[in-house]
């Protein structure tokens, strides 16, 4: 067995929390193993003055780490699963998906008020078109403003701004100890999360069976089935940071339920649907996700997506 293991990760506080979480799990099982974190800066970390939707979304936070993995500079990579494109580069694979944290989006309000208590034309900060679309579908009066940076940076920017509230994922807020700042949690019936939200994806080289065996215990099958269904849906819809798509699947024994949302940028047009089915394998889960994606396309999602893609501002990089 290897005596030294290199884990590739971004260097943001949340990414390091995630990488250390995996590191500790591996060390607990293999006490003689020396595990090292290798910090890698990605395109998404370097470009901080533009909205994500304007700079493209294919591997913004993963590409450089994947290149290091292919070049064998690291042995595995730890990602937020929602950052990983639905198509994995040749030679690589997602070898394990960790048990999911709470998937909800949360509101951080300066006055610790509920979403329904926000004043008319309240200023809400978010870097996500998915959140923007669903927020405006709920409250067309809101003013949505872009905010970028890692979680700590966003809190600093928010506290120094005139924004009334900010939207974030519960998982990151909880993992970095900011959960006391949460003023409201959105239910899935109100606002669907990003594909893969709350789960970690551990990426390895395809033929590296030794590494796969070392991290096999980190894979959580119910989360794997649920997120594979969501990722299959997103792959069919060809979505990413530039398209407002939300999805949430949950696997209970062999029953898988998946819900999805596709909306216009202003939230005025949207379609949401859910389906359930038996799931005894990853292939079953992915088939269910693809079925839902095609149902959405047949019932109006295609027109919404085409309209978004045809707007010049959404094709800028």
């Amino acid at each position: 067995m290897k005596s030294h293991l290199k884990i590739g990760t971004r260097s943001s506080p949340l990414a390091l929390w995630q990488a250390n979480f995996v590191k500790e799990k591996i060390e607990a099982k293999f006490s003689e193993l020396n595990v090292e974190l290798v910090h890698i800066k990605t395109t998404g970390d370097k470009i901080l003055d533009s909205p994500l939707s304007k700079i493209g979304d294919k591997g913004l936070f993963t590409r450089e780490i994947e290149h290091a993995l292919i070049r064998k500079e690291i042995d595995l990579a730890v990602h937020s699963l929602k950052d990983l494109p639905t198509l994995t580069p040749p030679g690589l694979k997602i070898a394990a998906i960790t048990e999911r944290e709470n998937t909800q989006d949360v509101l951080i309000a300066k006055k610790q008020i509920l979403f329904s208590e926000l004043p008319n034309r309240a200023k809400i900060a978010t870097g996500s078109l998915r959140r923007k679309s669903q927020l405006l579908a709920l409250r067309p009066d809101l003013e949505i403003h872009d905010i970028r940076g890692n979680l700590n940076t966003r809190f600093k920017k928010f506290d120094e701004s005139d924004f009334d509230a900010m939207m974030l994922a519960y998982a990151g807020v909880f993992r970095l100890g900011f959960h006391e700042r949460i003023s409201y949690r959105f239910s899935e019936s109100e606002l669907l999360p990003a594909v893969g939200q709350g789960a970690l994806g551990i990426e390895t080289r395809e033929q590296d069976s030794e590494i796969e065996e070392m991290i096999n215990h980190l894979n959580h099958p119910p989360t794997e089935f649920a997120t594979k269904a969501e990722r299959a849906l997103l792959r069919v819809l060809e979505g990413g940071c530039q398209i407002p798509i939300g999805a949430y699947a949950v696997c209970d024994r062999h029953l898988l339920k998946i819900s999805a949302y596709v909306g216009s940028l202003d939230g005025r047009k949207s379609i949401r649907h859910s389906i359930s089915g038996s799931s005894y394998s990853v292939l079953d889960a992915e088939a269910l996700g693809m079925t839902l994606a095609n149902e959405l396309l047949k019932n109006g999602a295609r027109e919404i997506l085409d309209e978004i893609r045809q707007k010049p501002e959404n094709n800028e990089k």
Side-chain angles (χ1 to χ4, degrees):
M1 193 185 81
K2 291 175 71 72
S3 60
H4 190 85
L5 187 74
K6 292 185 177 181
I7 298 177
T9 174
R10 295 168 60 204
S11 56
S12 72
L14 181 57
L16 291 177
W17 184 99
Q18 294 170 170
N20 274 303
F21 172 82
V22 172
K23 176 177 181 287
E24 289 167 8
K25 293 288 186 182
I26 293 173
E27 288 174 334
K29 189 172 179 66
F30 303 99
S31 58
E32 302 302 315
L33 188 64
N34 178 23
V35 184
E36 174 190 356
L37 298 187
V38 178
H39 299 197
I40 300 170
K41 189 165 255 190
T42 67
T43 302
D45 297 314
K46 297 170 187 174
I47 304 175
L48 297 173
D49 56 352
S50 298
L52 292 178
S53 58
K54 293 292 190 290
I55 56 178
D57 61 301
K58 299 296 184 184
L60 273 178
F61 295 104
T62 61
R63 188 183 301 111
E64 287 80 2
I65 300 175
E66 290 177 324
H67 288 171
L69 188 54
I70 291 168
R71 294 193 300 264
K72 298 187 177 181
E73 296 168 1
I74 56 175
D75 299 299
L76 59 90
V78 177
H79 308 280
S80 289
L81 188 60
K82 67 179 182 178
D83 289 339
L84 274 169
T86 56
L87 295 176
T88 306
L92 300 182
K93 66 182 292 185
I94 301 173
I97 296 174
T98 64
E99 184 173 3
R100 209 170 200 176
E101 182 52 82
N102 183 309
T103 63
Q104 291 173 306
D105 284 313
V106 297
L107 188 76
I108 311 295
K110 284 184 176 166
K111 295 182 179 179
Q112 283 285 310
I113 56 177
L114 301 176
F115 178 65
S116 61
E117 296 171 334
L118 287 171
N120 189 51
R121 299 188 63 80
K123 296 180 179 180
I124 312 297
T126 176
S128 163
L129 294 184
R130 170 188 61 82
R131 291 178 181 136
K132 175 182 178 180
S133 176
Q134 293 185 86
L135 281 172
L136 290 175
L138 293 171
R139 287 274 306 268
D141 64 289
L142 297 176
E143 293 183 13
I144 311 298
H145 297 264
D146 192 71
I147 191 168
R148 284 285 317 281
N150 64 49
L151 202 67
N152 301 60
T153 299
R154 291 192 195 199
F155 269 102
K156 185 174 186 297
K157 287 181 177 179
F158 173 65
D159 289 337
E160 295 172 350
S161 73
D162 64 347
F163 299 144
D164 295 288
M166 172 173 64
M167 288 281 295
L168 294 168
Y170 174 88
V173 173
F174 174 75
R175 285 165 177 163
L176 289 189
F178 289 109
H179 48 283
E180 290 184 359
R181 298 284 305 269
I182 295 172
S183 57
Y184 184 73
R185 297 187 194 187
F186 289 88
S187 67
E188 279 80 20
S189 63
E190 293 174 305
L191 203 143
L192 285 174
V195 164
Q197 187 157 300
L200 307 181
I202 305 176
E203 198 171 24
T204 66
R205 289 180 290 275
E206 269 191 331
Q207 305 303 321
D208 203 334
S209 57
E210 183 181 9
I211 299 297
E212 278 192 58
E213 289 176 13
M214 292 173 70
I215 63 171
N216 184 55
H217 67 290
L218 294 173
N219 191 61
H220 186 250
T223 299
E224 180 187 23
F225 282 23
T227 56
K228 287 288 180 71
E230 294 169 13
R231 287 170 61 79
L233 173 137
L234 188 64
R235 189 161 55 244
V236 172
L237 296 178
E238 299 179 349
C241 296
Q242 297 160 308
I243 305 292
I245 295 172
Y248 177 62
V250 59
C251 186
D252 182 9
R253 297 183 183 179
H254 294 296
L255 179 66
L256 184 66
K257 179 181 179 181
I258 178 169
S259 304
Y261 168 97
V262 178
S264 60
L265 299 178
D266 60 10
R268 292 180 182 176
K269 298 177 185 176
S270 66
I271 178 169
R272 177 174 173 146
H273 193 44
S274 302
I275 60 171
S276 300
S278 297
S279 182
Y280 291 89
S281 69
V282 167
L283 289 178
D284 288 343
E286 291 181 330
L288 195 67
M290 290 187 283
T291 297
L292 178 55
N294 285 312
E295 285 192 16
L296 289 167
L297 290 171
K298 289 176 186 175
N299 289 283
R302 188 183 304 280
E303 290 72 22
I304 293 172
L305 295 174
D306 286 346
E307 185 178 322
I308 293 172
R309 292 181 178 121
Q310 287 166 9
K311 291 184 178 180
E313 64 267 25
N314 298 316
N315 295 319
E316 295 174 5
K317 299 290 187 286

